[in-house]
Amino acid sequence: MSAENPESASAEEQKEMEDKVISPEKVEEAKLKARYPHLGQKPGGSDFLRKRLQKGQKYFDSGDYNMAKAKMKNKQLPTAAPDKTEVTGDHIPTPQDLPQRKPSLVASKLAG
Amino acid sequence: FPGAGGGNDIQWCFSQVKGAVDDDVAEADIISTVEFNHSGELLATGDKGGRVVIFQQEQENKTQSHSRGEYNVYSTFQSHEPEFDYLKSLEIEEKINKIRWLPQKNAAQFLLSTNDKTIKLWKISERDKRPEGYNLKEEDGRYRDPTTVTTLRVPVFRPMDLMVEASPRRIFANAHTYHINSISINSDYETYLSADDLRINLWHLEITDRSFNIVDIKPANMEELTEVITAAEFHPNSCNTFVYSSSKGTIRLCDMRASALCDRHSKLFEEPEDPSNRSFFSEIISSISDVKFSHSGRYMMTRDYLSVKIWDLNMENRPVETYQVHEYLRSKLCSLYENDCIFDKFECCWNGSDRQVLIVMTGSYNNFFRMFDRNTKRDITLEASRENNKPRTVLKPRKVCASGKRKKDEISVDSLDFNKKILHTAWHPKENIIAVATTNNLYIFQDKMN
């Protein structure tokens, strides 16, 4: 683009304006990219799908747990802070950290 | 719909609302599916807590000819319980993803309910008599002293208070690696399909230890994954035909007579997209969240994030009708992506079998739901709210103001409550009665009878 060519500069500006007028989606896309510049180049696609397919994964690894227990024979295993819901990373989760899933013992309120 | 209508315009009135009034919603109470049975007499709901509640319509009361029977609780049971797959470190939610009724063959009712991994066939039966006059037991069950038994009698059945029992008759497990999103009963009433993100399986209702894989779109290398299955349904009349929709906005129609594994579609329905309009959001909002055949089987309806499309099975290259559900959200996609609402899965439904009526219905945000009349091309927005609960008063249409000056009674896009989603709606198969689920309440609306 030549800065000295006023005609082509204004044509580009006009296209930009047209884009904004015609496509609210493109405006939204620009907003998103401004907030998250590292967002995947590929629109939609595999990242979402893989996240979706992994729904429900809880990272309790019995191998890690037993090795950590072996290493720390006499010491206490560090336990998660009470408010921690995501149990990953350096902290070795224990079965107690994973939230107990129990069926609803209460009847549905729709039946009330 | 609004204003002076022709004879065919339906005027919707509030009929009933079920569920707790308080705003503090327990996760377990979130309604996850709603389905009428084939006669419309029964209405089932499933929730995130794995429970099923079935309502039954009262017999029409001759003295109350101005309204159809009310729905009252008929049965409720725990269908699925939370599980933990220790091998894969996977939590399996008890949330009921779908309920589908079988057509009634005898006195009992049967339905299929499914969570992410396991489908169950439930039998719901009534008991209204019990045997009395046993020789060895008292009426309360205690054993009689045998020395007091001097005569013999034949026990007889006597009436008792109606008891409705639900029992699991079949459990169809261990056939899905990924999360089940759909179940659909075949028109042969013997088989059904279950679909997860990457595979579709065919089952026989009587056989639980075997299932046939009929669609498998899992790539050899998961890095190459670009598309997942979002919904599937059998054709209402052709027992060899089914469709499945994808996250890329396509629908594939498959014929089971063509081959055992239906990886190659018979038809591919896809609306061409203008490449210059493509944005980061295009694929996400094109993902189809629901697909439903029309009663005749000639058409099918799909729901994507912003619209409802009607397809003619004879025309693959574009839908025959497109209805905008909430186009004003197009300029909010950035925030809707950030708060995950862009991934909400709305369902859609056809009206019942009344031939005079050609309406499709779907939900939106702010507890609004939308109806599109395919005859008149008019549409209406209604609200499911306890503020409108005067029976036999016609619901007032709502209007969302996209931009500019907001008129009185309109609501601006920025005031919409995106936590109040109507994802699940159902239309009575024969009458103009609809069931609309908000987060934790079930609303029933009827058309105003003259």
Side-chain angles (χ1 to χ4, degrees):
Chain A
M1 173 182 113
S2 165
E4 285 128 27
N5 190 338
E7 252 179 31
S8 74
S10 71
E12 259 199 43
E13 273 171 30
Q14 194 177 42
K15 181 172 191 317
E16 223 177 83
M17 233 173 64
E18 269 175 7
D19 270 348
K20 286 201 167 107
V21 169
I22 292 171
S23 176
E25 238 178 88
K26 293 245 168 84
V27 174
E28 292 295 296
E29 180 178 31
K31 253 192 241 173
L32 195 68
K33 291 222 161 114
R35 288 185 207 177
Y36 309 99
H38 300 301
L39 202 56
Q41 293 305 78
K42 192 168 189 282
S46 323
D47 290 336
F48 296 133
L49 298 182
R50 248 178 275 126
K51 203 167 79 163
R52 175 184 176 146
L53 296 181
Q54 279 173 1
K55 182 178 86 164
Q57 201 107 43
K58 295 274 159 167
Y59 298 98
F60 174 75
D61 187 313
S62 63
D64 281 346
Y65 172 68
N66 285 309
M67 278 176 59
K69 237 172 61 165
K71 267 190 215 154
M72 301 178 119
K73 287 177 244 221
N74 297 321
K75 300 182 203 160
Q76 286 281 38
L77 265 181
T79 50
D83 57 326
K84 236 182 160 179
T85 49
E86 234 1 83
V87 181
T88 56
D90 290 330
H91 165 66
I92 306 297
T94 65
Q96 295 92 294
D97 293 338
L98 294 174
Q100 289 302 313
R101 302 298 323 288
K102 288 198 172 75
S104 302
L105 299 171
V106 185
S108 165
K109 296 203 181 98
L110 290 183
Chain B
F1 296 78
N8 288 337
D9 278 3
I10 300 179
Q11 296 184 291
W12 294 104
C13 304
F14 171 84
S15 173
Q16 296 170 269
V17 61
K18 308 278 184 194
V21 184
D22 57 85
D23 281 335
D24 197 16
V25 182
E27 281 249 339
D29 291 325
I30 296 173
I31 298 173
S32 50
T33 185
V34 181
E35 188 83 353
F36 281 100
N37 76 335
H38 291 256
S39 66
E41 187 204 349
L42 298 177
L43 175 60
T45 61
D47 65 24
K48 214 164 178 215
R51 301 162 302 189
V52 170
V53 182
I54 302 175
F55 302 92
Q56 181 187 44
Q57 191 178 26
E58 273 177 0
Q59 293 305 327
E60 263 179 58
N61 195 332
K62 297 282 192 279
T63 61
Q64 285 197 305
S65 56
H66 50 250
S67 77
R68 299 180 181 86
E70 281 201 340
Y71 282 84
N72 300 315
V73 180
Y74 177 67
S75 171
T76 176
F77 54 93
Q78 185 80 34
S79 172
H80 287 72
E81 291 185 354
E83 288 172 62
F84 195 84
D85 181 339
Y86 294 99
L87 187 64
K88 297 181 192 168
S89 293
L90 267 182
E91 205 171 69
I92 301 171
E93 274 196 328
E94 66 275 36
K95 172 167 75 88
I96 309 295
N97 293 333
K98 285 284 180 330
I99 288 173
R100 289 287 182 262
W101 289 93
L102 265 69
Q104 192 172 14
K105 282 196 280 199
N106 52 40
Q109 300 276 359
F110 289 86
L111 61 79
L112 284 177
S113 71
T114 187
N115 69 348
D116 283 342
K117 297 285 183 184
T118 303
I119 306 129
K120 295 188 185 182
L121 176 69
W122 287 89
K123 176 180 180 183
I124 296 112
S125 47
E126 292 184 358
R127 197 198 287 262
D128 62 358
K129 1 181 198 310
R130 65 156 186 245
E132 284 177 19
Y134 283 108
N135 291 292
L136 299 176
K137 282 194 225 176
E138 303 287 1
E139 292 312 328
D140 60 12
R142 282 178 304 149
Y143 279 97
R144 291 169 72 188
D145 176 354
T147 59
T148 63
V149 181
T150 52
T151 58
L152 279 182
R153 56 188 176 170
V154 177
V156 291
F157 276 95
R158 296 219 190 279
M160 62 180 254
D161 285 341
L162 178 67
M163 224 170 71
V164 181
E165 301 167 321
S167 59
R169 304 304 288 177
R170 305 271 187 278
I171 297 185
F172 304 91
N174 303 320
H176 286 278
T177 306
Y178 303 99
H179 295 114
I180 298 173
N181 52 57
S182 312
I183 47 175
S184 176
I185 297 168
N186 204 348
S187 52
D188 64 11
Y189 300 148
E190 286 187 346
T191 57
Y192 74 94
L193 64 76
S194 56
D196 68 31
D197 291 317
L198 297 178
R199 299 191 177 102
I200 301 179
N201 293 328
L202 180 71
W203 303 83
H204 190 286
L205 284 163
E206 299 290 320
I207 298 170
T208 58
D209 63 355
R210 253 173 304 154
S211 130
F212 289 98
N213 176 237
I214 52 178
V215 173
D216 188 340
I217 65 168
K218 183 175 180 194
N221 180 0
M222 283 296 269
E223 301 286 311
E224 289 163 26
L225 180 68
T226 54
E227 198 172 8
V228 295
I229 297 169
T230 51
E233 191 174 67
F234 263 120
H235 190 276
N237 308 315
S238 299
C239 57
N240 48 276
T241 304
F242 65 93
V243 292
Y244 68 92
S245 59
S246 85
S247 52
K248 276 185 158 174
T250 66
I251 308 103
R252 287 172 175 80
L253 182 137
C254 300
D255 186 333
M256 295 194 290
R257 297 169 299 187
S259 71
L261 188 61
C262 298
D263 273 0
R264 281 169 58 211
H265 53 262
S266 299
K267 294 195 183 188
L268 173 65
F269 298 83
E270 186 172 16
E271 183 165 26
E273 193 200 5
D274 181 358
S276 65
N277 279 338
R278 196 160 174 82
S279 76
F280 175 84
F281 304 109
S282 301
E283 191 176 302
I284 304 172
I285 62 172
S286 73
S287 177
I288 292 172
S289 47
D290 196 14
V291 63
K292 294 259 170 51
F293 276 106
S294 66
H295 303 294
S296 64
R298 165 87 194 268
Y299 298 95
M300 66 181 172
M301 166 167 55
T302 57
R303 175 70 155 98
D304 51 73
Y305 190 61
L306 297 178
S307 67
V308 163
K309 294 180 179 169
I310 312 282
W311 303 79
D312 182 327
L313 256 52
N314 296 320
M315 186 157 71
E316 297 170 59
N317 59 1
R318 60 177 173 83
V320 289
E321 292 156 39
T322 300
Y323 300 101
Q324 300 302 336
V325 182
H326 36 219
E327 178 68 14
Y328 46 78
L329 294 184
R330 203 179 286 270
S331 45
K332 300 285 169 202
L333 291 177
C334 182
S335 347
L336 293 168
Y337 175 86
E338 290 179 300
N339 62 19
D340 272 355
C341 284
I342 205 174
F343 301 104
D344 284 337
K345 298 188 179 58
F346 292 94
E347 290 172 8
C348 54
C349 66
W350 298 86
N351 66 281
S353 56
D354 178 357
R355 296 284 163 83
Q356 303 293 78
V357 176
L358 266 182
I359 302 175
V360 297
M361 167 167 70
T362 190
S364 178
Y365 295 105
N366 210 69
N367 283 347
F368 287 170
F369 58 101
R370 303 266 283 138
M371 295 206 199
F372 302 94
D373 188 322
R374 299 175 60 213
N375 276 330
T376 63
K377 301 300 180 212
R378 291 209 295 264
D379 61 86
I380 192 170
T381 305
L382 298 172
E383 183 180 0
S385 145
R386 283 174 188 272
E387 285 165 18
N388 304 332
N389 58 2
K390 289 202 207 89
R392 291 190 300 287
T393 307
V394 178
L395 292 180
K396 193 172 120 160
R398 298 283 174 220
K399 188 122 171 46
V400 177
C401 167
S403 59
K405 214 148 156 78
R406 185 178 73 86
K407 296 196 191 100
K408 176 177 174 255
D409 283 351
E410 285 185 354
I411 177 165
S412 87
V413 187
D414 298 308
S415 309
L416 294 175
D417 188 342
F418 291 96
N419 290 318
K420 294 191 172 161
K421 317 168 203 254
I422 291 180
L423 303 175
H424 313 285
T425 59
W427 200 304
H428 190 290
K430 305 195 161 89
E431 297 170 22
N432 290 330
I433 300 176
I434 56 177
V436 173
T438 59
T439 307
N440 64 330
N441 283 176
L442 182 71
Y443 286 79
I444 298 172
F445 301 102
Q446 297 183 0
D447 96 45
K448 185 179 180 127
M449 289 169 83
N450 299 313

